[in-house]
């Protein structure tokens, strides 16, 4: 009997961890991991932080050592693009076809492009891939003035790294505060102030009208919608990402804000799975579909999809988690809070050491520890308890969070 072939499209963190898990679970069929980039799988967090700043080596960004894939008999095909998914096989850009018994789509997301006059000038960068990061690492090395378009995660972390390397940084974002949709006003103000204290000029509530070029077509200034002109040596655009679901939708899979999957990470075609940034997955804890664009989701959802492909019982219910480091401010956020009616703080907000909780109807939806450590698992336990909690108790540092989580979980 021929052994089955499990094909993974997307040689990302999700894809690499899925391939690793297939072997860890003893799967001895064929595992093929296909990636469009020339690189073997790497992790993205260093691309806005230590690697970007020149503080860590390229080798540290990779998910696995170079010889891992051969050792594990994982056929890694980099520089290879899948052009179509058909029943039981995929077509590749070079005309080849590869058969599959199970298929995992870990195709990720791609940067949303800014569509304004001058957006094609040289010196305007996006930051998504290791190759993008290499270019920006060199720009940071050279110094100068940069405009960052977007005060989301890319904008905020890039701005912090660029300031740490001594560049002049201006951030432009139509929102009044950094990441306000996620944080709300008070935490948004906290992060705005952190960037202001580190010398970032923040043009919030302002957008980009156009880029101005000179000479060989190199950007020299950004014009904003409010009429300002900011001179720069280069610009970085981080205005969100779009899930790469084109292949899936062309193949007739259900697509809505990414590839729709159940809690087993299975698409509308039972032998095709999806995980990572591209997967809009039914979440059994939240009882709705959510698509999470963060590192921890890639790390955990890839292996979960691998187990589901092997027919093991899977119900992916991780509480979404992410972290961010900006200057000397580190944080971890857990939960999912598309809306809330109250934000409760515990600790010293002005001193930058606190935990914030987002509550709806007295229930904790999300929590974030800022320069306070070893509490995030308690934050997750508080969320999982799904019990109402008094704001005063939550805010009281005299009540340890682990104790409170235990009490809530016990329903007392
Ligand atoms: P993002 O976090 O979604 O933030 C995009 C920001 O750009 C938002 O504030 C958005 O405002 C703003 N924006 C939208 N259109 C704009 C425009 N025309 N001009 C100026 N600003 C505009 O996306 P990102 O920063 O590009 O990050 C890309 C992906 O990488 C995301 O999935 C993110 O989660 C991930 N990432 C994560 C981390 C981390 O976990 N620490 C770090 C880096 C990147 P609106 O809200 O109004 O659209």
């Amino acid at each position: 009997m021929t052994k089955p072939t499990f094909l993974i499209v997307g040689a990302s963190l999700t894809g690499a961890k899925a391939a690793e898990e297939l072997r860890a679970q003893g799967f001895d069929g064929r595992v093929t991991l296909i990636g469009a980039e020339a690189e073997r799988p790497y992790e993205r967090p260093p691309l806005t932080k230590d690697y970007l700043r020149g503080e860590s080596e390229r080798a540290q960004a990779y998910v696995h050592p170079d010889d891992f894939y051969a050792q594990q008999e994982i056929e890694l095909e980099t520089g290879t693009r899948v052009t179509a998914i058909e029943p039981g096989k995929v077509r590749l850009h070079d005309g080849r076809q590869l058969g599959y018994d199970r298929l995992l789509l870990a195709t990720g997301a791609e940067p949303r492009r800014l569509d304004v006059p001058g957006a094609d000038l040289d010196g305007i960068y996006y930051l998504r891939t290791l190759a993008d990061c290499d270019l920006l690492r060199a720009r940071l090395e050279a110094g100068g003035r940069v405009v960052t378009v977007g005060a989301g995660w890319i904008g905020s972390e890039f701005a912090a790294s660029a300031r740490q390397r001594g560049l002049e940084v201006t951030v432009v974002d139509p929102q009044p505060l950094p990441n306000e949709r996620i944080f709300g006003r008070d935490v948004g103000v906290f992060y705005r102030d952190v960037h202001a204290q580190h010398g970032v000029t923040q043009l919030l509530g302002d957008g980009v009208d156009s880029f101005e070029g000179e000479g060989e077509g190199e950007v020299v200034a950004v014009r904003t919608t409010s009429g300002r002109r900011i001179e720069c040596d280069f610009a970085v655009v981080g205005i969100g990402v779009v899930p790469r679901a084109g292949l899936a939708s062309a193949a007739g899979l259900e697509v809505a804000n990414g590839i729709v999957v159940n809690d087993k990470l299975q698409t509308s075609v039972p032998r095709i799975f999806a995980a990572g940034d591209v997967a809009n997955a039914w979440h059994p804890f939240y009882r709705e579909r959510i698509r999470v664009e963060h590192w921890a989701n890639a790390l955990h959802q890839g292996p979960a999809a691998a187990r589901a492909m092997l027919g093991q019982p899977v119900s992916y219910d991780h509480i979404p988690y992410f972290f961010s480091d900006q200057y000397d401010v580190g944080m971890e956020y857990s939960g999912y809070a598309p809306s809330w009616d109250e934000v409760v703080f515990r600790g010293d907000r002005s001193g930058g050491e606190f935990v914030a909780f987002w509550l709806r109807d007295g229930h904790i939806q999300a929590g974030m520890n800022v320069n306070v450590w070893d509490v995030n698992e308690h934050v997750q336990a508080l969320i999982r308890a799904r019990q109402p909690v008094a704001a005063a108790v939550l805010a009281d540092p005299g009540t340890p969070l682990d104790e409170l989580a235990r009490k809530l979980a016990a329903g007392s």
Side-chain angles (χ1 to χ4, degrees):
M1 207 175 82
T2 53
K3 289 183 176 172
T5 297
F6 282 15
L7 191 60
I8 301 169
V9 181
S12 53
L13 177 59
T14 306
K17 291 308 257 186
E20 178 188 328
E21 183 73 1
L22 287 173
R23 290 297 183 226
Q25 293 291 330
F27 178 65
D28 69 350
R30 190 173 173 198
V31 177
T32 305
L33 178 56
I34 301 176
E37 285 175 54
E39 299 288 346
R40 72 177 192 269
Y42 56 85
E43 308 207 23
R44 295 187 204 282
L47 310 192
T48 48
K49 306 180 186 78
D50 46 330
Y51 181 68
L52 175 68
R53 293 193 296 270
E55 294 166 7
S56 66
E57 298 301 320
R58 209 165 194 279
Q60 291 168 254
Y62 293 109
V63 181
H64 296 114
D66 198 15
D67 54 2
F68 171 85
Y69 301 97
Q71 272 175 10
Q72 294 289 313
E73 295 186 30
I74 294 165
E75 294 167 41
L76 174 62
E77 294 228 23
T78 55
T80 304
R81 198 172 283 280
V82 171
T83 53
I85 300 167
E86 294 174 10
K89 69 177 183 204
V90 300
R91 288 183 188 277
L92 305 182
H93 75 282
D94 56 10
R96 282 183 297 151
Q97 299 181 17
L98 289 182
Y100 63 82
D101 295 284
R102 297 276 181 282
L103 175 66
L104 173 62
L105 299 175
T107 44
E110 59 197 17
R112 185 178 295 138
R113 299 275 150 181
L114 188 59
D115 184 18
V116 296
D120 292 333
L121 288 167
D122 288 341
I124 300 173
Y125 298 85
Y126 289 80
L127 178 46
R128 182 75 185 166
T129 64
L130 194 47
D132 295 337
C133 185
D134 284 333
L135 296 173
L136 284 167
R137 185 174 149 131
R139 298 289 326 217
L140 258 54
E141 183 66 38
R145 301 157 302 173
V146 60
V147 171
T148 300
V149 183
W153 295 110
I154 291 287
S156 297
E157 292 187 3
F158 178 84
S161 286
R163 282 300 299 143
Q164 284 169 275
R165 292 305 312 268
L167 280 80
E168 265 180 50
V169 181
T170 303
V171 174
V172 182
D173 193 304
Q175 292 295 318
L177 291 165
N179 283 316
E180 193 183 12
R181 279 190 219 282
I182 300 165
F183 289 150
R185 185 175 158 71
D186 291 341
V187 177
V189 165
F190 170 79
Y191 272 102
R192 180 199 64 194
D193 292 351
V194 165
H195 284 281
Q197 282 152 17
H198 286 86
V200 175
T201 303
Q202 294 169 93
L203 306 181
L204 299 169
D206 203 353
V208 172
D209 177 64
S210 59
F211 293 99
E212 241 179 70
E214 206 178 75
E216 300 285 292
E218 190 81 20
V219 67
V220 293
V222 175
R223 284 199 182 271
T224 73
T225 45
S226 71
R228 293 173 168 111
R229 181 178 183 277
I230 312 138
E231 293 190 358
C232 62
D233 300 303
F234 65 106
V236 176
V237 180
I239 58 168
V241 291
V242 182
R244 249 191 231 111
L247 276 176
S249 91
L253 304 188
E254 189 184 351
V255 167
N257 178 29
I259 303 173
V260 172
V261 292
N262 60 20
D263 63 332
K264 297 174 184 60
L265 307 169
Q266 192 171 37
T267 69
S268 52
V269 173
R271 62 174 160 162
I272 306 182
F273 295 75
D277 286 2
V278 78
N280 190 7
W282 179 259
H283 199 291
F285 180 77
Y286 291 108
R287 298 183 193 124
E288 63 180 284
R289 279 202 300 253
I290 60 177
R291 193 172 65 74
V292 181
E293 297 172 354
H294 291 285
W295 167 86
N297 189 57
L299 189 70
H300 300 302
Q301 224 175 39
R307 293 190 294 277
M309 290 163 85
L310 292 168
Q312 296 181 13
V314 165
S315 181
Y316 186 84
D317 73 344
H318 281 241
I319 300 282
Y321 165 93
F322 61 90
F323 69 95
S324 181
D325 298 316
Q326 296 165 43
Y327 317 99
D328 52 356
V329 180
M331 68 83 142
E332 296 174 289
Y333 177 107
S334 279
Y336 172 63
S339 65
W340 61 86
D341 45 41
E342 192 178 5
V343 184
V344 174
F345 291 92
R346 146 183 304 232
D348 178 10
R349 201 165 8 138
S350 57
E353 290 182 11
F354 63 90
V355 186
F357 296 95
W358 286 261
L359 272 66
R360 193 173 59 218
D361 299 329
H363 291 68
I364 301 167
Q365 308 298 309
M368 178 174 79
N369 43 300
V370 176
N371 281 353
V372 172
W373 303 108
D374 303 324
V375 296
N376 203 264
E377 63 177 291
H378 310 322
V379 169
Q380 296 208 5
L382 285 163
I383 295 168
R384 280 207 186 276
R386 227 203 287 263
Q387 294 292 327
V389 57
V393 174
L394 208 46
D396 174 14
T399 309
L401 291 178
D402 51 346
E403 227 170 73
L404 185 58
R406 272 196 299 276
K407 272 192 197 160
L408 290 186
S412 56

